[in-house]
Every structure is written in C-alpha cells, then in structure tokens.
Amino acid sequence: MTALSADPNLWNDAAQAQKLMTEKNTLETNLHNFQEMQASLDDLAGLAEMAEEEKDEAVVAECLEQLSNLQEQTKRGELEALLSGEVDANDAFIEVHSGSGGTEAQDWAEMLLRMYTRWAESHQYKVEYVEETEGDVAGLKSATVKICGHNAYGWLKSESGVHRLVRISPFDSNARRHTSFASVWVYPVIDDEINIEINEADCRIDTYRASGAGGQHINKTDSAVRITHLPTGIVVSCQTQRSQFQNRDAAWKMLKARLYDIELQKREAEAQGIRDSQGDNGWGNQIRSYVLQPYKMVKDLRTEAETSDTKAVLDGDIDLFLSAALAGKVGA
C-alpha cells in the first residue's frame, strides 16, 4: 500500500528551510514586479502629460497603448498573487490521452499537446518531453511533458479534464463533421522531501524499446520504463533518458507526483464537499468545447469563458480560460 502523509508538518528541517526560501523569493519577485509596474505607470503619466501640452497625438496614442498593456500585465499579476496553494509554484507534468474518435482523436491529442507547449513557450517556461506514443495513422495516443517554471502548476492545474473537438475531419474523404475527445491530466512536480512511501510489491515494472520523438538513440535497447501502480491503476512511463536506470528514476518520481496529486484532490474535495468532475474520456464529461465547424467557438463549460478566435487558442493563447478558472476558484 502507499503511505502518504497529509500532515502539514511532513517536511524536515532542510525542506522547511527550502520552502521558506522559495516563499521569500516569490515575495521578492512580486514586490519587484509591482515596483516596476508602478515606475512604468509614473513614466507613462508624465509622458502623456507632456504630449497633451504639446498636442502630440502620436505620442498620446502610444501612451494609451502602453497603458492598456500595463493594465493587462497588472490583471495577470493580481491573479498570480492568488496562487497560494502549497504546490502552485511548482513545475507541472501534463499528460494528454486520445479518447473517443480513433485517428481523429489521436490527431486532436497532438493538437492539444501543441497548444500547451506553445502556451508554455510564450510564457518563457521550459518544456521537457517525457513520453510519447504515436497514433496508428496520425497524431498521438498519449504523451507526457514537463513544464518547468515558477507557478507552472498553479496556472495549468485547471486544465485537467476532457476536451471536445468538433470539426470537418481531414481524415474523412466525404468531408463529414466529426466529434472527438482527448483527456488532459495536470499534476505537480513534487519535492523529494515530501513523505510518500510506495511499496514496490504494489507496482508492476515493464521495460520496452523507446519510440517516437527523443527516443531514436535508444531504440535498440529496452531502455523505456513503464510503472503500473496496481492499487490505483495509475500508469506512468518515461523513454527520453539515455539509460533504463534514468528512465526508471524519472518514472518513480512521476508516480510519486501522481499519488501526491490524488491526495491533494482528496483533501480539497473533503474541504469543499465536491467530487472529481473529470469522468470518462467521452460524451457528457467535457470541460471545454472547441468547435471549428459549422461556426468557430471555444467555450469552457465551467466558467462560461469563450472566444471565437479558435486559431489563437490552438496556437497557445489560453490565458482567458486559465484566468477565468483561477478567478472563479478564488471567488467560490
């Protein structure tokens, strides 16, 4: 069985010191950002006043544009300051799995993975590929990436759930409209000091030959590792490292992170009296709908946030949905 302490005092002295240092760095960063925004506001106010006195409409227009950008930056900063969960500041794993819809769903899973990696890159987060299983014809059956950067998990945690796509399928010679599904699971990268004990007897460990992106240099050996945690049914795998030992170590860390995330969800459910709403990877359980035909609309079914700019969303512009989820959770 897995022993996972829910006691907030589970940290040892070294881990507690590291946690305090992280909090200190976060506060210093937030203060620095605030001071920079205040200085920018003062500079723009002075410049706008001078431009009005000189009736320089071009400079006034430029000031207004910069003020608008500063306003958006301030709104994001206000939301980011609310990321106070115990692992919100951590890196994040994102798993994407194709669901109902065959090849169409596998292509959709690859589109979702691209959406998240583009979002991460646009926010200066580092993306590391952990595992990738190619689709039978196109796309992906599953993939796992690690998003590295401050507050990565805090921003992305609301993305867990089923995502539904409606479009004219490029794989249908009759150009019919198809509905397909893919599920997303986001969980935090956890500190090694968190007290999670996993009985290896409860796990099945399989090795296999790596394939797909990042695995070409180890295709000739059984270096990829898959761990199945039998009590929970959780499966994690890693194939991107050069040796089986490295992949095994990375897979154990992912399993610990998944189990820790489950404990966090249990504690949150008990506190709020809610249950997990993800459900099966198919009809009736989606959290967001992406419609490309007969009209264009992306709508989050939890927050009602929506946009008709589907291209921007699929290119990684999902801040609208992330912000709405965070604001809604704080206001709940």
Side-chain angles (χ1 to χ4, degrees):
M1 295 300 291
T2 301
L4 175 59
S5 174
D7 187 343
N9 296 318
L10 52 80
W11 303 86
N12 61 23
D13 291 343
Q16 183 66 29
Q18 180 61 42
K19 182 180 179 182
L20 291 174
M21 182 59 68
T22 300
E23 292 177 353
K24 174 178 177 291
N25 292 338
T26 299
L27 290 172
E28 288 179 344
T29 298
N30 290 340
L31 179 59
H32 175 72
N33 291 340
F34 171 78
Q35 290 172 337
E36 280 197 337
M37 286 187 287
Q38 183 64 59
S40 297
L41 179 61
D42 293 340
D43 291 344
L44 285 172
L47 182 60
E49 185 176 351
M50 291 174 57
E52 286 184 347
E53 291 176 355
E54 297 177 4
K55 301 188 185 305
D56 190 333
E57 295 182 1
V59 174
V60 170
E62 182 181 350
C63 288
L64 290 175
E65 182 179 354
Q66 292 187 40
L67 281 170
S68 178
N69 294 335
L70 185 60
Q71 183 180 34
E72 291 302 314
Q73 184 181 348
T74 302
K75 287 180 180 178
R76 181 178 176 85
E78 288 176 346
L79 286 173
E80 199 157 51
L82 298 173
L83 294 174
S84 57
E86 59 185 299
V87 289
D88 280 353
N90 291 24
D91 300 338
F93 287 115
I94 298 182
E95 288 185 16
V96 179
H97 297 269
S98 62
S100 306
T103 298
E104 175 72 12
Q106 291 167 12
D107 187 56
W108 172 223
E110 185 172 42
M111 291 169 64
L112 276 177
L113 183 66
R114 176 183 178 274
M115 181 182 79
Y116 289 120
T117 56
R118 291 291 294 271
W119 175 85
E121 290 163 356
S122 69
H123 289 81
Q124 287 73 56
Y125 287 127
K126 181 182 178 183
V127 179
E128 297 178 3
Y129 285 80
V130 177
E131 182 275 336
E132 186 176 289
T133 302
E134 296 178 349
D136 297 323
V137 177
L140 299 169
K141 289 182 178 179
S142 67
T144 303
V145 295
K146 180 180 178 182
I147 308 298
C148 304
H150 183 62
N151 284 336
Y153 176 69
W155 279 111
L156 292 168
K157 62 185 178 182
S158 62
E159 290 299 289
S160 291
V162 177
H163 297 244
R164 169 177 174 256
L165 173 70
V166 180
R167 67 169 178 176
I168 301 297
S169 173
F171 306 102
D172 188 334
S173 58
N174 295 317
R176 290 173 296 188
R177 191 166 66 245
H178 284 242
T179 298
S180 53
F181 302 88
S183 65
V184 174
W185 185 270
V186 182
Y187 50 100
V189 177
I190 61 172
D191 193 287
D192 288 338
E193 299 297 332
I194 291 179
N195 183 26
I196 298 178
E197 298 175 2
I198 303 174
N199 187 346
E200 291 196 27
D202 289 336
C203 299
R204 186 178 69 244
I205 303 176
D206 302 306
T207 59
Y208 58 99
R209 292 188 180 183
S211 63
Q216 292 84 350
H217 60 294
I218 47 179
N219 280 343
K220 296 182 180 180
T221 62
D222 291 343
S223 58
V225 175
R226 179 187 300 111
I227 300 177
T228 303
H229 187 246
L230 301 176
T232 61
I234 292 173
V235 180
V236 296
S237 56
C238 183
Q239 66 178 30
T240 56
Q241 303 301 317
R242 291 184 176 274
S243 72
Q244 185 184 118
F245 175 80
Q246 291 173 315
N247 282 325
R248 184 186 295 258
D249 183 60
W252 277 117
K253 289 180 179 178
M254 291 170 62
L255 179 57
K256 288 174 67 177
R258 284 288 300 270
L259 292 170
Y260 184 62
D261 184 56
I262 287 175
E263 180 63 26
L264 288 179
Q265 291 193 25
K266 286 180 180 177
R267 287 156 59 181
E268 183 178 355
E270 290 171 359
Q272 298 182 9
I274 61 174
R275 61 181 179 84
D276 179 25
S277 60
Q278 180 168 341
D280 295 330
N281 197 354
W283 283 104
N285 298 295
Q286 61 268 15
I287 63 169
R288 189 174 303 144
S289 180
Y290 305 71
V291 180
L292 305 186
Q293 278 95 14
Y295 56 89
K296 295 183 182 298
M297 179 66 69
V298 180
K299 182 174 182 177
D300 194 288
L301 305 180
R302 302 160 301 174
T303 64
E304 301 299 319
E306 63 180 48
T307 177
S308 60
D309 193 351
T310 56
K311 183 179 184 303
V313 171
L314 295 176
D315 281 339
D317 186 6
I318 58 174
D319 283 347
L320 167 67
F321 305 107
L322 303 183
S323 297
L326 180 58
K329 187 170 185 179
V330 171

